[in-house]
Amino acid sequence: MTALKSLMSMMLLCTTLQLSAQFFQHKSTPEELYKQAVQEARQQHYNKAIELSQQALARQPDFVDQQLLLGKLYLQTKQYDNARKYVQQVMAKSPRYRDAYSYAINIELSTGHYDEALKYTEQALNYFPGSKDLMLKKLSILDAQHKVMQADNYAGLMFTKYPTDMVIRKAYIEHHLVSGRYYKQTGNTNMARKSFDKALEADPLNDEAKEGGLAADLKGSRYTSALEQVNSELSVNPGSYNLLMRKLGILQDMHAYTEALSVLQEIIRKYPGDSKARSMESTLRMEAAQYYTNADPYSLYQSVYERSHSRDALEKLIGYSMARGSRQEAMDWINQGLRSSPNDHRLLTLKTDMLEEDKKYSAAAELATKLYQQSPNPQLKERLTGLQLNSGRDFLADQQYEQALTALEAARKLSPNNTAVLDMLANTYLSQKDSSAALDILSQAIAYEPNNERLKLKKSSLLAGSGKHEEAASLMADLATRNPDDPRYKANLADIRMTNARGLMQSEDYDPAKQQLEQVLTVEPSNKDALNYMINLQSATGHLNRALIYANKALEFYPDDRDLLLKKSSVLYDMKDYSGSSAITQRLMEKYPYTVKYRNAFMTSQMAAGRTYQQHQRSDSALIAYNSVLVLNPKDTLALLYCININNERQDYDIALAYAGEGLHHYPGNETFMLKRAVTLENKKDYAAAAAVMDSVVQLDPSTPNRDYRYMLESKTLKNQFALYYLNSSYDFSDNKYNIATVEYRHYFRRGSYALRANYAGRQTGNGIQGEAELYYTHNPSLYSYGLLAFSDYVVFPKVRAAYSIFKTFHNQIELELGARYLNLDSTNSFTGVTSIARPFGDFWVNLRAYFISESSDFYTAFNLTTRYYMNNRQEFVTLIAAIGTSPDDRSRLIRFPELSGLLTHSVGTGYQKVIRYRTTVGLFGTWINQKITNTDYQNQYDIYLVFQRKF
């Protein structure tokens, strides 16, 4: 007895140590690995961070934050292909993950793929349209690609949207400096000057813009413009040596030697110690002498004018300068004349003419205003209006909007009903994004010319651009009615309606959008965009029948349009008409065999059809659909997996194995297909082969579920089991204790198992031995039997004990039992009928068993309610048992069965049992039994029951 207790204690100690090792073993979670990787990355231990990240993804492949971190780490280590792979996976799963776009843009910029970088930037702006960082990134990419015009427009848009943002202003200035440098390098001095001027508009003190603009003018021989800039700077800093020397050089290039010598004298006067200036005087005069000869009449008139300031000589000098093509020289003489006679009408008129010919309309308009004030007349008024109009046009072209408005408002004041002026004024307000003012101006112009269709067309476009689509459409409809033969107006009316519809769709106002599109189709029934949008809208709002109507209508106009056919197929797909959808995509695929999207669309429809067939238990049709996919793409993993599952359900295991083999052929070492092969082999009850497959799976991925499944399969290859059971019963009314120790051998065969047991028990009256034989036999998947036969020496145990039950499982998982029990206790025979009902409820299992006991002339009943809660994939459970009466299946009571039967007995028990790796089972159970002896007396019994089982 002592040896047996020692053996049981050792077994319990080993089991406890094994359980403790399982419970306290810790394995880092993917989240913990991610945090470790972040810490390593902060310390610039990139290789270690990458290793930890790969471990985390191996355990949780859909861990988006970890994928992004891995992409960032590869970017930091310049492994751009790997970085691109993980960042693209993140964007595919989480299109609104902003950091992913930043990394994607940086990857493409680092590898010089500017077009790809720009594509990602625009995708990001679609999701985050107000992001200044993304807008600045897009501008920098456009500059790097030298897409100057596109960059100009985008920089202007940014500056207009955020005029007070200093970062945007700085980027706007830098962009125009970059553009100026680019144009300067390519020799386009005109555009270089304009770029630098735009930079100066935003930052008038920018030295690079000033120098760049001046250099562009000089390189392009635009001396007048260069001279104007230098004079402007001299007005602020009149004593600047560098500016005076620069002006001297420009005048020398212009052959304006008279003014050049005057500037040189000014330099010598202000800087008397400058040897360079003094040395230039003789050289400059020699150059001038060579340019002008004493025999030239021009020189004679010049000498006359210098002595007498003769008006006739001045007229001659102006005339000769013009005749010689020296317009600047002529202008210099005019200016000299005006210094002495600033209101001279003739000279003012000449200067106005020259300025107009030189397209200096602003300066010409200033002089014409002075002339008009001296002598108002209709001709001069008309001329002044034209000069102000041209001046406004130039200012507008140079984006000098305030100056343009000043000039045009002056022209309007002179000629209020001049529609050309009003039209240009409207354009200026439009350039300033002042749509309201532009509309007012256009309304005034139309009031003066009510039949001007061009102005009405412009106003309609402006109304549409301002979001006043109904007003725009009304105006355009009037034009279309007045000009029924002009297709432009119908087209414009349709465009306005389409624009309104797009805006409504973007704001998700679908019903008003549909109304706009219907009006478009009333004007243009074959408008392809409108038909497309109607199909999309009807589909998006769940009106699939109407979507199909519009798809068919569109195909009436464009019967061979592939996109429309594909769209109809999509509508049919959404309507779950997979055969109709497949029929269209199959025709497209046959007609265009090399177009991947048609093949993919056909396969998508067939896959959906297969799933529908599966849901309706039409496995044959489902297999046909999936195999049609596999014909086109033998590597399609889903189709292969579905075929495996269906054949497993049909118990066509060899076919399922063939599909699994096909999957492994295309994807050697693929864990999913290897698992499917193992499951199929398990279904075939080829547990050894299934376990061998799982060995390979565990080598690839030693995860807990994989190892657990391998242990389960290995356990099913074991046919034998050794077990020890120990029952200890004690009483509060007696010093006697009953201990029953049991040794069991069990053998498993295909249809069940049989077991042989030896029970040993001792008490004061003597020790007893009992032998038992037990059998479980499965007749079919829903029916099995249980049988037991036991003999003993009747010292302790009943002499004979027999039991039989048959169990039937119904489709709702309810299990019913019918059975019988027999006990022979010397002269007493006990016969018992047994019935029970059991059913699982999720992780719970409940069993209610009733015993109907006949003993001689007495009849008793007993009832037993057992509940279990399963855990850890049903490898362990806790149980609660309640019973009334003493049943012939209660081993702890059989020793004293004759004296206990018929007494009122209540019992409550609980216990815990765990299976370790599907091979070793341990359990501990305790029961309290209360028995009524008399009306007032009760006695108690306490049972402890230990279980140990081991398969081999």
Tab-separated table of all heavy atoms in Angstrom, residues 175-199:
chain	number	residue	atom	x	y	z
A	175	HIS	N	10.689	78.233	-56.079
A	175	HIS	CA	10.312	77.626	-57.356
A	175	HIS	C	10.641	78.551	-58.530
A	175	HIS	O	11.217	78.119	-59.539
A	175	HIS	CB	8.818	77.300	-57.385
A	175	HIS	CG	8.265	77.197	-58.781
A	175	HIS	ND1	8.590	76.172	-59.646
A	175	HIS	CD2	7.449	78.051	-59.486
A	175	HIS	CE1	7.997	76.377	-60.804
A	175	HIS	NE2	7.302	77.497	-60.727
A	176	HIS	N	10.270	79.834	-58.421
A	176	HIS	CA	10.528	80.754	-59.533
A	176	HIS	C	12.012	81.036	-59.689
A	176	HIS	O	12.484	81.277	-60.823
A	176	HIS	CB	9.732	82.037	-59.333
A	176	HIS	CG	8.261	81.860	-59.609
A	176	HIS	ND1	7.774	81.483	-60.841
A	176	HIS	CD2	7.171	81.967	-58.786
A	176	HIS	CE1	6.454	81.391	-60.792
A	176	HIS	NE2	6.061	81.667	-59.554
A	177	LEU	N	12.779	80.997	-58.614
A	177	LEU	CA	14.235	81.113	-58.747
A	177	LEU	C	14.797	79.904	-59.489
A	177	LEU	O	15.659	80.046	-60.365
A	177	LEU	CB	14.878	81.230	-57.362
A	177	LEU	CG	14.607	82.529	-56.592
A	177	LEU	CD1	15.223	82.455	-55.208
A	177	LEU	CD2	15.157	83.744	-57.349
A	178	VAL	N	14.289	78.713	-59.126
A	178	VAL	CA	14.729	77.483	-59.814
A	178	VAL	C	14.369	77.560	-61.302
A	178	VAL	O	15.173	77.214	-62.177
A	178	VAL	CB	14.085	76.244	-59.151
A	178	VAL	CG1	14.315	74.998	-60.014
A	178	VAL	CG2	14.657	76.031	-57.761
A	179	SER	N	13.137	78.013	-61.601
A	179	SER	CA	12.712	78.139	-62.999
A	179	SER	C	13.588	79.138	-63.733
A	179	SER	O	13.976	78.923	-64.889
A	179	SER	CB	11.242	78.584	-63.059
A	179	SER	OG	10.418	77.654	-62.423
A	180	GLY	N	13.900	80.282	-63.078
A	180	GLY	CA	14.754	81.280	-63.707
A	180	GLY	C	16.129	80.732	-64.033
A	180	GLY	O	16.665	80.967	-65.123
A	181	ARG	N	16.697	79.976	-63.093
A	181	ARG	CA	18.017	79.385	-63.352
A	181	ARG	C	17.941	78.414	-64.523
A	181	ARG	O	18.843	78.365	-65.375
A	181	ARG	CB	18.498	78.632	-62.104
A	181	ARG	CG	18.780	79.518	-60.918
A	181	ARG	CD	19.359	78.702	-59.763
A	181	ARG	NE	19.028	79.308	-58.478
A	181	ARG	CZ	18.333	78.726	-57.531
A	181	ARG	NH1	17.864	77.502	-57.721
A	181	ARG	NH2	18.087	79.345	-56.392
A	182	TYR	N	16.856	77.614	-64.545
A	182	TYR	CA	16.722	76.626	-65.619
A	182	TYR	C	16.610	77.311	-66.978
A	182	TYR	O	17.296	76.938	-67.943
A	182	TYR	CB	15.485	75.759	-65.350
A	182	TYR	CG	15.141	74.813	-66.481
A	182	TYR	CD1	15.908	73.681	-66.715
A	182	TYR	CD2	14.060	75.066	-67.328
A	182	TYR	CE1	15.601	72.820	-67.766
A	182	TYR	CE2	13.749	74.216	-68.363
A	182	TYR	CZ	14.528	73.090	-68.584
A	182	TYR	OH	14.232	72.251	-69.604
A	183	TYR	N	15.738	78.324	-67.083
A	183	TYR	CA	15.591	79.024	-68.352
A	183	TYR	C	16.883	79.737	-68.737
A	183	TYR	O	17.246	79.812	-69.931
A	183	TYR	CB	14.454	80.045	-68.246
A	183	TYR	CG	13.074	79.449	-68.350
A	183	TYR	CD1	12.095	79.738	-67.404
A	183	TYR	CD2	12.732	78.590	-69.395
A	183	TYR	CE1	10.817	79.200	-67.499
A	183	TYR	CE2	11.467	78.038	-69.490
A	183	TYR	CZ	10.519	78.352	-68.543
A	183	TYR	OH	9.272	77.813	-68.644
A	184	LYS	N	17.597	80.258	-67.756
A	184	LYS	CA	18.855	80.944	-68.034
A	184	LYS	C	19.876	79.971	-68.611
A	184	LYS	O	20.595	80.292	-69.570
A	184	LYS	CB	19.377	81.555	-66.728
A	184	LYS	CG	20.562	82.477	-66.897
A	184	LYS	CD	20.930	83.093	-65.549
A	184	LYS	CE	22.194	83.929	-65.656
A	184	LYS	NZ	22.588	84.488	-64.341
A	185	GLN	N	19.925	78.750	-68.039
A	185	GLN	CA	20.856	77.735	-68.535
A	185	GLN	C	20.515	77.291	-69.952
A	185	GLN	O	21.401	77.005	-70.756
A	185	GLN	CB	20.852	76.517	-67.612
A	185	GLN	CG	21.491	76.774	-66.254
A	185	GLN	CD	21.315	75.603	-65.311
A	185	GLN	OE1	20.686	74.597	-65.670
A	185	GLN	NE2	21.868	75.721	-64.105
A	186	THR	N	19.213	77.229	-70.247
A	186	THR	CA	18.787	76.783	-71.578
A	186	THR	C	18.765	77.915	-72.602
A	186	THR	O	18.404	77.688	-73.756
A	186	THR	CB	17.390	76.145	-71.487
A	186	THR	OG1	16.472	77.095	-70.926
A	186	THR	CG2	17.434	74.897	-70.616
A	187	GLY	N	19.124	79.145	-72.193
A	187	GLY	CA	19.205	80.266	-73.125
A	187	GLY	C	17.894	80.966	-73.388
A	187	GLY	O	17.829	81.852	-74.259
A	188	ASN	N	16.844	80.623	-72.659
A	188	ASN	CA	15.548	81.272	-72.854
A	188	ASN	C	15.475	82.467	-71.908
A	188	ASN	O	14.920	82.410	-70.817
A	188	ASN	CB	14.421	80.278	-72.563
A	188	ASN	CG	13.067	80.790	-73.013
A	188	ASN	OD1	12.874	81.987	-73.184
A	188	ASN	ND2	12.130	79.874	-73.204
A	189	THR	N	16.068	83.595	-72.362
A	189	THR	CA	16.190	84.754	-71.470
A	189	THR	C	14.848	85.414	-71.183
A	189	THR	O	14.665	85.993	-70.108
A	189	THR	CB	17.163	85.772	-72.075
A	189	THR	OG1	16.690	86.151	-73.382
A	189	THR	CG2	18.563	85.185	-72.193
A	190	ASN	N	13.918	85.372	-72.143
A	190	ASN	CA	12.599	85.977	-71.905
A	190	ASN	C	11.892	85.304	-70.732
A	190	ASN	O	11.393	85.962	-69.815
A	190	ASN	CB	11.721	85.866	-73.159
A	190	ASN	CG	12.147	86.854	-74.234
A	190	ASN	OD1	12.628	87.942	-73.923
A	190	ASN	ND2	11.997	86.477	-75.483
A	191	MET	N	11.854	83.973	-70.768
A	191	MET	CA	11.174	83.252	-69.701
A	191	MET	C	11.951	83.350	-68.383
A	191	MET	O	11.356	83.377	-67.306
A	191	MET	CB	10.987	81.779	-70.091
A	191	MET	CG	10.044	81.567	-71.265
A	191	MET	SD	8.406	82.299	-70.980
A	191	MET	CE	7.824	81.300	-69.625
A	192	ALA	N	13.279	83.406	-68.476
A	192	ALA	CA	14.075	83.579	-67.264
A	192	ALA	C	13.707	84.881	-66.573
A	192	ALA	O	13.540	84.942	-65.350
A	192	ALA	CB	15.560	83.549	-67.592
A	193	ARG	N	13.602	85.979	-67.403
A	193	ARG	CA	13.253	87.276	-66.833
A	193	ARG	C	11.880	87.221	-66.140
A	193	ARG	O	11.698	87.737	-65.030
A	193	ARG	CB	13.227	88.326	-67.961
A	193	ARG	CG	12.805	89.715	-67.506
A	193	ARG	CD	13.899	90.368	-66.726
A	193	ARG	NE	13.377	91.283	-65.734
A	193	ARG	CZ	14.090	92.191	-65.094
A	193	ARG	NH1	15.379	92.286	-65.346
A	193	ARG	NH2	13.567	92.972	-64.198
A	194	LYS	N	10.911	86.559	-66.783
A	194	LYS	CA	9.577	86.475	-66.199
A	194	LYS	C	9.592	85.693	-64.883
A	194	LYS	O	8.912	86.058	-63.915
A	194	LYS	CB	8.613	85.810	-67.181
A	194	LYS	CG	8.244	86.709	-68.354
A	194	LYS	CD	7.207	86.052	-69.237
A	194	LYS	CE	6.795	86.985	-70.382
A	194	LYS	NZ	5.764	86.372	-71.250
A	195	SER	N	10.378	84.620	-64.825
A	195	SER	CA	10.456	83.829	-63.597
A	195	SER	C	11.049	84.647	-62.462
A	195	SER	O	10.540	84.645	-61.339
A	195	SER	CB	11.290	82.570	-63.840
A	195	SER	OG	10.646	81.698	-64.732
A	196	PHE	N	12.148	85.384	-62.778
A	196	PHE	CA	12.760	86.185	-61.723
A	196	PHE	C	11.840	87.320	-61.284
A	196	PHE	O	11.818	87.706	-60.114
A	196	PHE	CB	14.103	86.737	-62.199
A	196	PHE	CG	15.183	85.699	-62.291
A	196	PHE	CD1	15.869	85.484	-63.475
A	196	PHE	CD2	15.510	84.926	-61.187
A	196	PHE	CE1	16.881	84.532	-63.559
A	196	PHE	CE2	16.523	83.972	-61.262
A	196	PHE	CZ	17.199	83.762	-62.459
A	197	ASP	N	11.050	87.864	-62.254
A	197	ASP	CA	10.114	88.928	-61.890
A	197	ASP	C	9.032	88.417	-60.940
A	197	ASP	O	8.604	89.134	-60.023
A	197	ASP	CB	9.479	89.512	-63.151
A	197	ASP	CG	10.430	90.440	-63.894
A	197	ASP	OD1	11.455	90.829	-63.304
A	197	ASP	OD2	10.143	90.779	-65.053
A	198	LYS	N	8.581	87.180	-61.145
A	198	LYS	CA	7.572	86.615	-60.249
A	198	LYS	C	8.132	86.425	-58.850
A	198	LYS	O	7.434	86.623	-57.847
A	198	LYS	CB	7.061	85.281	-60.807
A	198	LYS	CG	6.164	85.444	-62.017
A	198	LYS	CD	5.684	84.095	-62.522
A	198	LYS	CE	4.792	84.266	-63.754
A	198	LYS	NZ	4.358	82.960	-64.292
A	199	ALA	N	9.398	86.022	-58.782
A	199	ALA	CA	10.028	85.912	-57.474
A	199	ALA	C	10.106	87.272	-56.796
A	199	ALA	O	9.886	87.405	-55.592
A	199	ALA	CB	11.419	85.288	-57.615
